[in-house]
Amino acid sequence: MSDTPAPVCAEDYLELAQQRLPPDVAAYLFGGAEAELAARRNREALDAATLIPRFVRDTPFTPPGGPTLFGRRHASPLLLAPIAHQRLFHPDGEAASVLAALAQGVTPIVSSLASTPWPQLRQLAEDEALWFQIYWQGDRAATERLIERAAALRPEAWMITLDAPIGGLRWRLWRSGFRLPPRAAPANLEAQAPTQRTHDLAALLALAPTRDDLAWLRDRLRQPLLAKGVLHEADAEALARLGYDGLAVSNHGGRTFDAAPASLTQLEPIARAVGEKMTVLFDGGVRRGSDVAKALAQGASAVLVGRPYVAALALEGAHGVARCLRLLRDEYAAVAALR
């Protein structure tokens, strides 16, 4: 990037990555399901939301701090979303993202589909906190084995993804001819699960956990447990009754179900329904500091950052991830001051 100006905002990394990544890799990172309407809804909802500034104050402005999540104070309201196959974008993959995030006081959520061995990430993080994202492995026995291997990360919290039991109908990705290279394959799984290309519908449907499976998982784990991919208040209330500690309002970045609403439109009703009982996080198109402020104003305690940091990883490795997160923190602080 020496021949181009340095990014002045986190969003710049997205535009630069669109220009520089191979077309098939760009299709993987930026593509959504089917016509990509859900992904566009995420941005349209965030763009349409407004914040009414208040300038008559009793006390001087103080920089905003981070939330307290499960007993630990965070430096900012940012969390690193669990993104799979990061060695697709940079040789250092998840190792670079974890180190950069921790340097910025941002807790990484490590993916089940990480392309870096989990013990290596734990060693790099030393005693810093990591969270872990669970993909249901099709049955309890296989999921139990996944949890046993992921214990090497010593997760402070666990997060099961509910909204992607199978891959979405990724038309842009398929048109690009994308094939996952061996270097980016999951480094910690037993075997690949069936995909949406199989003709065995029963095998596909069996990949999604039932309510009883979710109750089993809650009983299995002692640490805080969250669910990612919640878009309906009734599902949030059901998770609260099962004893889940938190949830992330998310439509998976528009990557799995194109008919889904924007994450932001569902955030406030879900926060009203369970915000006193559960920690509510937001995931869905965050790329600006004002997006962070809008999500917090509608009831989120923290937000997950996804595509921007992966674009920065692709362009500048760990340095890019750290700079992207710092830009987002600074943008959020400026927006908070102007409110």
Side-chain angles (χ1 to χ4, degrees), residues 61-127:
F61 171 76
T62 56
T68 297
L69 304 176
F70 311 120
R72 185 170 64 82
R73 184 73 171 177
H74 289 241
S76 80
L78 305 179
L79 297 166
L80 212 64
I83 304 293
H85 312 306
Q86 290 187 29
R87 292 187 65 205
L88 175 65
F89 305 101
H90 190 276
D92 294 336
E94 293 83 2
S97 297
V98 165
L99 286 174
L102 294 175
Q104 291 296 318
V106 175
T107 297
I109 307 174
V110 178
S111 172
S112 286
L113 302 179
S115 51
T116 304
W118 295 327
Q120 179 182 340
L121 297 178
R122 178 71 270 171
Q123 184 177 15
L124 290 170
E126 297 182 338
D127 293 327

Short mmCIF file of all heavy atoms in Angstrom, two decimals, residues 61-127:
data_model
loop_
_atom_site.label_atom_id
_atom_site.label_comp_id
_atom_site.label_asym_id
_atom_site.label_seq_id
_atom_site.Cartn_x
_atom_site.Cartn_y
_atom_site.Cartn_z
N PHE A 61 -17.23 16.88 28.77
CA PHE A 61 -17.20 15.61 28.06
C PHE A 61 -16.02 14.77 28.55
O PHE A 61 -14.91 15.28 28.73
CB PHE A 61 -17.06 15.83 26.56
CG PHE A 61 -16.79 14.57 25.79
CD1 PHE A 61 -17.81 13.65 25.55
CD2 PHE A 61 -15.51 14.28 25.33
CE1 PHE A 61 -17.56 12.48 24.85
CE2 PHE A 61 -15.25 13.12 24.62
CZ PHE A 61 -16.28 12.22 24.38
N THR A 62 -16.26 13.51 28.78
CA THR A 62 -15.19 12.56 29.08
C THR A 62 -15.23 11.44 28.03
O THR A 62 -16.32 11.02 27.61
CB THR A 62 -15.35 11.95 30.48
OG1 THR A 62 -16.64 11.33 30.58
CG2 THR A 62 -15.21 13.02 31.55
N PRO A 63 -14.08 10.97 27.58
CA PRO A 63 -14.07 9.92 26.55
C PRO A 63 -14.85 8.70 27.01
O PRO A 63 -14.80 8.32 28.19
CB PRO A 63 -12.58 9.60 26.38
CG PRO A 63 -11.88 10.83 26.84
CD PRO A 63 -12.73 11.40 27.94
N PRO A 64 -15.60 8.08 26.10
CA PRO A 64 -16.40 6.93 26.50
C PRO A 64 -15.53 5.73 26.83
O PRO A 64 -14.51 5.49 26.19
CB PRO A 64 -17.26 6.65 25.26
CG PRO A 64 -16.46 7.19 24.11
CD PRO A 64 -15.74 8.40 24.66
N GLY A 65 -15.90 4.99 27.84
CA GLY A 65 -15.21 3.76 28.19
C GLY A 65 -15.89 2.57 27.55
O GLY A 65 -16.87 2.69 26.81
N GLY A 66 -15.35 1.42 27.83
CA GLY A 66 -15.94 0.20 27.31
C GLY A 66 -16.90 -0.41 28.30
O GLY A 66 -17.00 0.01 29.46
N PRO A 67 -17.64 -1.43 27.88
CA PRO A 67 -18.63 -2.07 28.76
C PRO A 67 -17.98 -3.09 29.69
O PRO A 67 -16.84 -3.54 29.46
CB PRO A 67 -19.55 -2.78 27.76
CG PRO A 67 -18.62 -3.17 26.64
CD PRO A 67 -17.63 -2.03 26.53
N THR A 68 -18.70 -3.45 30.71
CA THR A 68 -18.32 -4.59 31.55
C THR A 68 -19.14 -5.79 31.09
O THR A 68 -20.37 -5.77 31.15
CB THR A 68 -18.58 -4.30 33.03
OG1 THR A 68 -17.75 -3.20 33.44
CG2 THR A 68 -18.25 -5.50 33.88
N LEU A 69 -18.45 -6.79 30.58
CA LEU A 69 -19.10 -7.99 30.07
C LEU A 69 -18.66 -9.18 30.91
O LEU A 69 -17.46 -9.50 30.95
CB LEU A 69 -18.74 -8.22 28.60
CG LEU A 69 -19.05 -7.08 27.63
CD1 LEU A 69 -18.56 -7.44 26.22
CD2 LEU A 69 -20.55 -6.77 27.60
N PHE A 70 -19.59 -9.79 31.59
CA PHE A 70 -19.33 -10.99 32.39
C PHE A 70 -18.21 -10.76 33.40
O PHE A 70 -17.31 -11.58 33.56
CB PHE A 70 -19.03 -12.18 31.48
CG PHE A 70 -20.04 -12.34 30.37
CD1 PHE A 70 -19.66 -12.28 29.04
CD2 PHE A 70 -21.39 -12.49 30.66
CE1 PHE A 70 -20.60 -12.40 28.03
CE2 PHE A 70 -22.33 -12.61 29.66
CZ PHE A 70 -21.93 -12.57 28.33
N GLY A 71 -18.27 -9.60 34.02
CA GLY A 71 -17.37 -9.31 35.11
C GLY A 71 -16.03 -8.69 34.72
O GLY A 71 -15.24 -8.36 35.60
N ARG A 72 -15.79 -8.50 33.44
CA ARG A 72 -14.51 -7.91 33.02
C ARG A 72 -14.78 -6.63 32.25
O ARG A 72 -15.59 -6.61 31.33
CB ARG A 72 -13.69 -8.88 32.16
CG ARG A 72 -12.31 -8.32 31.81
CD ARG A 72 -11.43 -9.40 31.18
NE ARG A 72 -11.96 -9.86 29.91
CZ ARG A 72 -11.78 -9.23 28.74
NH1 ARG A 72 -11.10 -8.09 28.71
NH2 ARG A 72 -12.28 -9.72 27.63
N ARG A 73 -14.05 -5.58 32.62
CA ARG A 73 -14.18 -4.30 31.95
C ARG A 73 -13.40 -4.33 30.64
O ARG A 73 -12.23 -4.71 30.61
CB ARG A 73 -13.61 -3.19 32.83
CG ARG A 73 -13.76 -1.79 32.28
CD ARG A 73 -15.20 -1.31 32.37
NE ARG A 73 -15.32 0.09 32.04
CZ ARG A 73 -16.48 0.74 31.99
NH1 ARG A 73 -17.60 0.10 32.25
NH2 ARG A 73 -16.52 2.02 31.69
N HIS A 74 -14.05 -3.93 29.55
CA HIS A 74 -13.43 -3.89 28.24
C HIS A 74 -13.00 -2.46 27.93
O HIS A 74 -13.63 -1.49 28.34
CB HIS A 74 -14.38 -4.39 27.17
CG HIS A 74 -14.63 -5.86 27.23
ND1 HIS A 74 -14.31 -6.71 26.20
CD2 HIS A 74 -15.16 -6.65 28.21
CE1 HIS A 74 -14.64 -7.95 26.53
NE2 HIS A 74 -15.15 -7.94 27.74
N ALA A 75 -11.91 -2.35 27.16
CA ALA A 75 -11.37 -1.03 26.84
C ALA A 75 -12.25 -0.26 25.87
O ALA A 75 -12.22 0.97 25.83
CB ALA A 75 -9.96 -1.16 26.26
N SER A 76 -13.05 -0.96 25.07
CA SER A 76 -13.92 -0.31 24.09
C SER A 76 -15.12 -1.21 23.86
O SER A 76 -15.12 -2.37 24.27
CB SER A 76 -13.18 -0.08 22.77
OG SER A 76 -13.14 -1.27 22.00
N PRO A 77 -16.15 -0.69 23.18
CA PRO A 77 -17.33 -1.52 22.92
C PRO A 77 -17.17 -2.40 21.68
O PRO A 77 -18.18 -2.84 21.10
CB PRO A 77 -18.44 -0.48 22.73
CG PRO A 77 -17.75 0.70 22.17
CD PRO A 77 -16.38 0.72 22.80
N LEU A 78 -15.95 -2.67 21.25
CA LEU A 78 -15.70 -3.49 20.07
C LEU A 78 -15.29 -4.90 20.47
O LEU A 78 -14.54 -5.11 21.42
CB LEU A 78 -14.58 -2.89 19.22
CG LEU A 78 -14.73 -1.44 18.77
CD1 LEU A 78 -13.51 -1.02 17.95
CD2 LEU A 78 -16.01 -1.23 17.98
N LEU A 79 -15.78 -5.88 19.72
CA LEU A 79 -15.34 -7.26 19.79
C LEU A 79 -14.98 -7.72 18.38
O LEU A 79 -15.60 -7.27 17.40
CB LEU A 79 -16.43 -8.17 20.36
CG LEU A 79 -16.89 -7.92 21.80
CD1 LEU A 79 -18.19 -8.66 22.08
CD2 LEU A 79 -15.81 -8.34 22.78
N LEU A 80 -14.00 -8.59 18.27
CA LEU A 80 -13.58 -9.09 16.97
C LEU A 80 -14.47 -10.26 16.59
O LEU A 80 -14.45 -11.31 17.23
CB LEU A 80 -12.11 -9.54 17.03
CG LEU A 80 -11.28 -9.38 15.76
CD1 LEU A 80 -11.15 -7.92 15.40
CD2 LEU A 80 -9.91 -10.01 15.96
N ALA A 81 -15.28 -10.08 15.54
CA ALA A 81 -16.21 -11.12 15.12
C ALA A 81 -15.45 -12.37 14.69
O ALA A 81 -14.33 -12.29 14.16
CB ALA A 81 -17.08 -10.61 13.97
N PRO A 82 -16.06 -13.55 14.88
CA PRO A 82 -15.40 -14.79 14.46
C PRO A 82 -15.50 -14.96 12.94
O PRO A 82 -16.57 -15.25 12.41
CB PRO A 82 -16.19 -15.87 15.20
CG PRO A 82 -17.55 -15.27 15.40
CD PRO A 82 -17.35 -13.80 15.55
N ILE A 83 -14.39 -14.79 12.26
CA ILE A 83 -14.33 -14.93 10.81
C ILE A 83 -13.50 -16.17 10.47
O ILE A 83 -12.39 -16.35 10.99
CB ILE A 83 -13.70 -13.69 10.15
CG1 ILE A 83 -14.46 -12.43 10.55
CG2 ILE A 83 -13.67 -13.85 8.64
CD1 ILE A 83 -15.86 -12.33 10.02
N ALA A 84 -14.03 -17.01 9.61
CA ALA A 84 -13.37 -18.26 9.25
C ALA A 84 -12.23 -18.05 8.25
O ALA A 84 -12.16 -17.02 7.58
CB ALA A 84 -14.40 -19.23 8.65
N HIS A 85 -11.36 -19.04 8.16
CA HIS A 85 -10.39 -19.18 7.07
C HIS A 85 -9.51 -17.95 6.86
O HIS A 85 -9.27 -17.52 5.73
CB HIS A 85 -11.13 -19.48 5.75
CG HIS A 85 -12.16 -20.54 5.83
ND1 HIS A 85 -11.91 -21.82 6.30
CD2 HIS A 85 -13.48 -20.54 5.48
CE1 HIS A 85 -13.01 -22.55 6.24
NE2 HIS A 85 -13.98 -21.79 5.76
N GLN A 86 -8.98 -17.37 7.92
CA GLN A 86 -8.30 -16.08 7.76
C GLN A 86 -6.95 -16.19 7.04
O GLN A 86 -6.44 -15.17 6.54
CB GLN A 86 -8.14 -15.40 9.12
CG GLN A 86 -9.47 -14.91 9.67
CD GLN A 86 -9.32 -14.09 10.92
OE1 GLN A 86 -8.31 -13.42 11.14
NE2 GLN A 86 -10.33 -14.13 11.77
N ARG A 87 -6.38 -17.38 6.95
CA ARG A 87 -5.16 -17.52 6.15
C ARG A 87 -5.46 -17.42 4.66
O ARG A 87 -4.53 -17.37 3.84
CB ARG A 87 -4.45 -18.81 6.49
CG ARG A 87 -3.86 -18.82 7.90
CD ARG A 87 -3.01 -20.03 8.17
NE ARG A 87 -1.81 -20.03 7.33
CZ ARG A 87 -1.15 -21.13 6.98
NH1 ARG A 87 -1.58 -22.32 7.39
NH2 ARG A 87 -0.08 -21.05 6.24
N LEU A 88 -6.71 -17.36 4.30
CA LEU A 88 -7.09 -17.03 2.93
C LEU A 88 -6.66 -15.62 2.57
O LEU A 88 -6.36 -15.32 1.41
CB LEU A 88 -8.61 -17.18 2.78
CG LEU A 88 -9.26 -16.78 1.46
CD1 LEU A 88 -8.78 -17.68 0.33
CD2 LEU A 88 -10.79 -16.85 1.59
N PHE A 89 -6.61 -14.75 3.57
CA PHE A 89 -6.37 -13.33 3.33
C PHE A 89 -4.93 -12.91 3.63
O PHE A 89 -4.45 -11.92 3.06
CB PHE A 89 -7.33 -12.51 4.18
CG PHE A 89 -8.76 -12.87 3.97
CD1 PHE A 89 -9.44 -13.69 4.87
CD2 PHE A 89 -9.44 -12.44 2.85
CE1 PHE A 89 -10.75 -14.05 4.66
CE2 PHE A 89 -10.77 -12.79 2.63
CZ PHE A 89 -11.43 -13.60 3.54
N HIS A 90 -4.28 -13.62 4.52
CA HIS A 90 -2.89 -13.26 4.88
C HIS A 90 -2.22 -14.50 5.45
O HIS A 90 -2.87 -15.28 6.16
CB HIS A 90 -2.90 -12.14 5.92
CG HIS A 90 -1.55 -11.54 6.17
ND1 HIS A 90 -0.64 -12.10 7.06
CD2 HIS A 90 -0.94 -10.44 5.65
CE1 HIS A 90 0.45 -11.37 7.07
NE2 HIS A 90 0.30 -10.36 6.23
N PRO A 91 -0.94 -14.71 5.18
CA PRO A 91 -0.27 -15.92 5.69
C PRO A 91 -0.34 -16.07 7.20
O PRO A 91 -0.33 -17.19 7.71
CB PRO A 91 1.18 -15.73 5.22
CG PRO A 91 1.08 -14.83 4.03
CD PRO A 91 -0.07 -13.93 4.29
N ASP A 92 -0.39 -14.96 7.94
CA ASP A 92 -0.45 -15.04 9.40
C ASP A 92 -1.86 -15.29 9.92
O ASP A 92 -2.03 -15.63 11.09
CB ASP A 92 0.12 -13.76 10.02
CG ASP A 92 1.60 -13.58 9.74
OD1 ASP A 92 2.29 -14.60 9.50
OD2 ASP A 92 2.07 -12.42 9.77
N GLY A 93 -2.87 -15.07 9.10
CA GLY A 93 -4.24 -15.41 9.44
C GLY A 93 -4.68 -14.95 10.81
O GLY A 93 -4.46 -13.80 11.22
N GLU A 94 -5.31 -15.86 11.54
CA GLU A 94 -5.88 -15.55 12.85
C GLU A 94 -4.84 -15.09 13.85
O GLU A 94 -5.16 -14.32 14.77
CB GLU A 94 -6.63 -16.76 13.40
CG GLU A 94 -7.88 -17.15 12.64
CD GLU A 94 -7.64 -18.01 11.42
OE1 GLU A 94 -6.46 -18.36 11.16
OE2 GLU A 94 -8.61 -18.35 10.73
N ALA A 95 -3.60 -15.55 13.69
CA ALA A 95 -2.55 -15.12 14.62
C ALA A 95 -2.37 -13.61 14.56
O ALA A 95 -2.24 -12.94 15.60
CB ALA A 95 -1.23 -15.83 14.29
N ALA A 96 -2.37 -13.05 13.35
CA ALA A 96 -2.23 -11.60 13.20
C ALA A 96 -3.43 -10.87 13.78
O ALA A 96 -3.29 -9.85 14.47
CB ALA A 96 -2.05 -11.24 11.73
N SER A 97 -4.62 -11.38 13.53
CA SER A 97 -5.83 -10.71 14.02
C SER A 97 -5.89 -10.72 15.54
O SER A 97 -6.24 -9.71 16.17
CB SER A 97 -7.07 -11.39 13.44
OG SER A 97 -7.11 -11.29 12.04
N VAL A 98 -5.57 -11.86 16.15
CA VAL A 98 -5.62 -11.96 17.61
C VAL A 98 -4.61 -11.02 18.25
O VAL A 98 -4.93 -10.27 19.19
CB VAL A 98 -5.38 -13.42 18.05
CG1 VAL A 98 -5.05 -13.50 19.53
CG2 VAL A 98 -6.61 -14.27 17.73
N LEU A 99 -3.38 -11.02 17.77
CA LEU A 99 -2.36 -10.15 18.36
C LEU A 99 -2.74 -8.68 18.20
O LEU A 99 -2.58 -7.88 19.14
CB LEU A 99 -1.01 -10.42 17.70
CG LEU A 99 -0.31 -11.71 18.12
CD1 LEU A 99 0.95 -11.92 17.29
CD2 LEU A 99 0.03 -11.70 19.60
N ALA A 100 -3.22 -8.29 17.02
CA ALA A 100 -3.58 -6.89 16.78
C ALA A 100 -4.76 -6.48 17.65
O ALA A 100 -4.77 -5.37 18.21
CB ALA A 100 -3.91 -6.69 15.30
N ALA A 101 -5.76 -7.34 17.76
CA ALA A 101 -6.93 -7.00 18.56
C ALA A 101 -6.55 -6.81 20.02
O ALA A 101 -6.94 -5.83 20.66
CB ALA A 101 -7.99 -8.08 18.42
N LEU A 102 -5.78 -7.74 20.55
CA LEU A 102 -5.40 -7.63 21.95
C LEU A 102 -4.55 -6.39 22.21
O LEU A 102 -4.65 -5.76 23.27
CB LEU A 102 -4.66 -8.89 22.39
CG LEU A 102 -5.51 -10.18 22.40
CD1 LEU A 102 -4.65 -11.38 22.72
CD2 LEU A 102 -6.67 -10.06 23.39
N ALA A 103 -3.72 -6.01 21.23
CA ALA A 103 -2.92 -4.80 21.37
C ALA A 103 -3.81 -3.56 21.45
O ALA A 103 -3.41 -2.54 22.05
CB ALA A 103 -1.95 -4.67 20.21
N GLN A 104 -5.01 -3.62 20.88
CA GLN A 104 -5.94 -2.51 20.91
C GLN A 104 -6.99 -2.66 22.00
O GLN A 104 -7.96 -1.90 22.04
CB GLN A 104 -6.62 -2.37 19.55
CG GLN A 104 -5.70 -1.91 18.43
CD GLN A 104 -5.16 -0.51 18.69
OE1 GLN A 104 -5.89 0.37 19.13
NE2 GLN A 104 -3.88 -0.30 18.42
N GLY A 105 -6.84 -3.64 22.87
CA GLY A 105 -7.80 -3.83 23.94
C GLY A 105 -9.13 -4.39 23.47
O GLY A 105 -10.16 -4.18 24.12
N VAL A 106 -9.13 -5.11 22.35
CA VAL A 106 -10.34 -5.68 21.77
C VAL A 106 -10.29 -7.20 21.93
O VAL A 106 -9.30 -7.83 21.55
CB VAL A 106 -10.48 -5.31 20.29
CG1 VAL A 106 -11.67 -6.01 19.65
CG2 VAL A 106 -10.61 -3.80 20.14
N THR A 107 -11.33 -7.79 22.47
CA THR A 107 -11.36 -9.24 22.68
C THR A 107 -11.69 -9.96 21.38
O THR A 107 -12.72 -9.67 20.76
CB THR A 107 -12.39 -9.60 23.75
OG1 THR A 107 -12.00 -9.03 24.99
CG2 THR A 107 -12.51 -11.12 23.91
N PRO A 108 -10.85 -10.90 20.95
CA PRO A 108 -11.16 -11.68 19.75
C PRO A 108 -12.09 -12.85 20.07
O PRO A 108 -11.98 -13.48 21.13
CB PRO A 108 -9.78 -12.22 19.30
CG PRO A 108 -8.77 -11.58 20.21
CD PRO A 108 -9.50 -11.17 21.45
N ILE A 109 -13.00 -13.12 19.14
CA ILE A 109 -13.83 -14.33 19.20
C ILE A 109 -13.30 -15.27 18.14
O ILE A 109 -13.40 -15.00 16.94
CB ILE A 109 -15.31 -14.01 18.97
CG1 ILE A 109 -15.79 -12.89 19.91
CG2 ILE A 109 -16.16 -15.26 19.16
CD1 ILE A 109 -17.21 -12.42 19.65
N VAL A 110 -12.70 -16.36 18.55
CA VAL A 110 -12.03 -17.29 17.64
C VAL A 110 -13.07 -18.21 17.01
O VAL A 110 -13.94 -18.76 17.68
CB VAL A 110 -10.96 -18.10 18.38
CG1 VAL A 110 -10.30 -19.11 17.46
CG2 VAL A 110 -9.92 -17.17 19.00
N SER A 111 -12.95 -18.42 15.69
CA SER A 111 -13.91 -19.22 14.95
C SER A 111 -13.62 -20.71 15.04
O SER A 111 -12.47 -21.15 15.09
CB SER A 111 -13.88 -18.81 13.47
OG SER A 111 -14.67 -19.68 12.68
N SER A 112 -14.69 -21.52 15.02
CA SER A 112 -14.54 -22.96 14.84
C SER A 112 -13.76 -23.29 13.58
O SER A 112 -13.08 -24.32 13.51
CB SER A 112 -15.91 -23.63 14.75
OG SER A 112 -16.57 -23.70 15.99
N LEU A 113 -13.88 -22.43 12.57
CA LEU A 113 -13.27 -22.68 11.26
C LEU A 113 -11.95 -21.95 11.11
O LEU A 113 -11.52 -21.67 9.99
CB LEU A 113 -14.24 -22.28 10.15
CG LEU A 113 -15.60 -22.98 10.17
CD1 LEU A 113 -16.48 -22.47 9.03
CD2 LEU A 113 -15.44 -24.49 10.07
N ALA A 114 -11.30 -21.64 12.22
CA ALA A 114 -10.00 -20.98 12.14
C ALA A 114 -9.01 -21.84 11.36
O ALA A 114 -8.99 -23.07 11.48
CB ALA A 114 -9.46 -20.72 13.55
N SER A 115 -8.16 -21.17 10.60
CA SER A 115 -7.14 -21.88 9.82
C SER A 115 -5.81 -21.94 10.55
O SER A 115 -4.81 -22.38 9.97
CB SER A 115 -6.96 -21.20 8.45
OG SER A 115 -6.76 -19.80 8.58
N THR A 116 -5.78 -21.49 11.79
CA THR A 116 -4.61 -21.55 12.65
C THR A 116 -4.93 -22.45 13.85
O THR A 116 -6.02 -22.34 14.41
CB THR A 116 -4.23 -20.14 13.16
OG1 THR A 116 -4.04 -19.28 12.04
CG2 THR A 116 -2.96 -20.18 14.00
N PRO A 117 -4.02 -23.33 14.26
CA PRO A 117 -4.31 -24.20 15.40
C PRO A 117 -4.62 -23.40 16.66
O PRO A 117 -3.95 -22.42 16.97
CB PRO A 117 -3.02 -25.01 15.55
CG PRO A 117 -2.40 -25.02 14.19
CD PRO A 117 -2.73 -23.68 13.61
N TRP A 118 -5.64 -23.83 17.37
CA TRP A 118 -6.05 -23.10 18.56
C TRP A 118 -4.97 -23.02 19.63
O TRP A 118 -4.81 -21.96 20.25
CB TRP A 118 -7.33 -23.72 19.13
CG TRP A 118 -8.49 -23.61 18.22
CD1 TRP A 118 -8.78 -22.59 17.34
CD2 TRP A 118 -9.55 -24.55 18.06
NE1 TRP A 118 -9.94 -22.85 16.66
CE2 TRP A 118 -10.44 -24.04 17.07
CE3 TRP A 118 -9.85 -25.78 18.65
CZ2 TRP A 118 -11.59 -24.71 16.68
CZ3 TRP A 118 -11.00 -26.46 18.26
CH2 TRP A 118 -11.86 -25.92 17.29
N PRO A 119 -4.19 -24.07 19.89
CA PRO A 119 -3.12 -23.91 20.90
C PRO A 119 -2.13 -22.81 20.55
O PRO A 119 -1.61 -22.13 21.45
CB PRO A 119 -2.47 -25.30 20.93
CG PRO A 119 -3.54 -26.23 20.46
CD PRO A 119 -4.30 -25.46 19.43
N GLN A 120 -1.88 -22.62 19.26
CA GLN A 120 -0.97 -21.55 18.85
C GLN A 120 -1.56 -20.19 19.20
O GLN A 120 -0.84 -19.29 19.67
CB GLN A 120 -0.70 -21.64 17.35
CG GLN A 120 0.23 -20.55 16.83
CD GLN A 120 0.43 -20.64 15.32
OE1 GLN A 120 0.20 -21.69 14.71
NE2 GLN A 120 0.84 -19.55 14.71
N LEU A 121 -2.85 -20.02 19.00
CA LEU A 121 -3.49 -18.74 19.32
C LEU A 121 -3.48 -18.49 20.83
O LEU A 121 -3.25 -17.37 21.28
CB LEU A 121 -4.92 -18.72 18.79
CG LEU A 121 -5.07 -18.82 17.27
CD1 LEU A 121 -6.54 -18.83 16.88
CD2 LEU A 121 -4.34 -17.69 16.56
N ARG A 122 -3.70 -19.55 21.61
CA ARG A 122 -3.65 -19.38 23.07
C ARG A 122 -2.25 -18.96 23.52
O ARG A 122 -2.10 -18.10 24.39
CB ARG A 122 -4.04 -20.69 23.74
CG ARG A 122 -4.00 -20.68 25.26
CD ARG A 122 -5.11 -19.84 25.84
NE ARG A 122 -4.76 -18.44 26.05
CZ ARG A 122 -5.63 -17.50 26.38
NH1 ARG A 122 -6.92 -17.78 26.54
NH2 ARG A 122 -5.25 -16.25 26.54
N GLN A 123 -1.24 -19.55 22.91
CA GLN A 123 0.13 -19.22 23.28
C GLN A 123 0.44 -17.77 22.93
O GLN A 123 1.07 -17.04 23.71
CB GLN A 123 1.10 -20.15 22.57
CG GLN A 123 2.56 -19.94 22.95
CD GLN A 123 3.48 -20.94 22.29
OE1 GLN A 123 3.10 -21.62 21.34
NE2 GLN A 123 4.71 -21.03 22.78
N LEU A 124 0.00 -17.31 21.77
CA LEU A 124 0.24 -15.93 21.35
C LEU A 124 -0.49 -14.95 22.27
O LEU A 124 0.04 -13.88 22.59
CB LEU A 124 -0.22 -15.73 19.91
CG LEU A 124 0.61 -16.41 18.82
CD1 LEU A 124 -0.10 -16.33 17.48
CD2 LEU A 124 1.99 -15.77 18.73
N ALA A 125 -1.69 -15.30 22.69
CA ALA A 125 -2.49 -14.40 23.52
C ALA A 125 -2.00 -14.36 24.96
O ALA A 125 -2.42 -13.48 25.73
CB ALA A 125 -3.95 -14.83 23.49
N GLU A 126 -1.12 -15.30 25.34
CA GLU A 126 -0.64 -15.41 26.72
C GLU A 126 -1.84 -15.50 27.66
O GLU A 126 -2.67 -16.38 27.51
CB GLU A 126 0.30 -14.24 27.04
CG GLU A 126 1.56 -14.24 26.16
CD GLU A 126 2.53 -13.14 26.48
OE1 GLU A 126 2.12 -12.12 27.08
OE2 GLU A 126 3.71 -13.28 26.13
N ASP A 127 -1.97 -14.59 28.60
CA ASP A 127 -3.07 -14.68 29.57
C ASP A 127 -4.25 -13.77 29.23
O ASP A 127 -5.16 -13.62 30.05
CB ASP A 127 -2.55 -14.35 30.98
CG ASP A 127 -1.57 -15.39 31.49
OD1 ASP A 127 -1.73 -16.57 31.14
OD2 ASP A 127 -0.62 -15.02 32.22
#
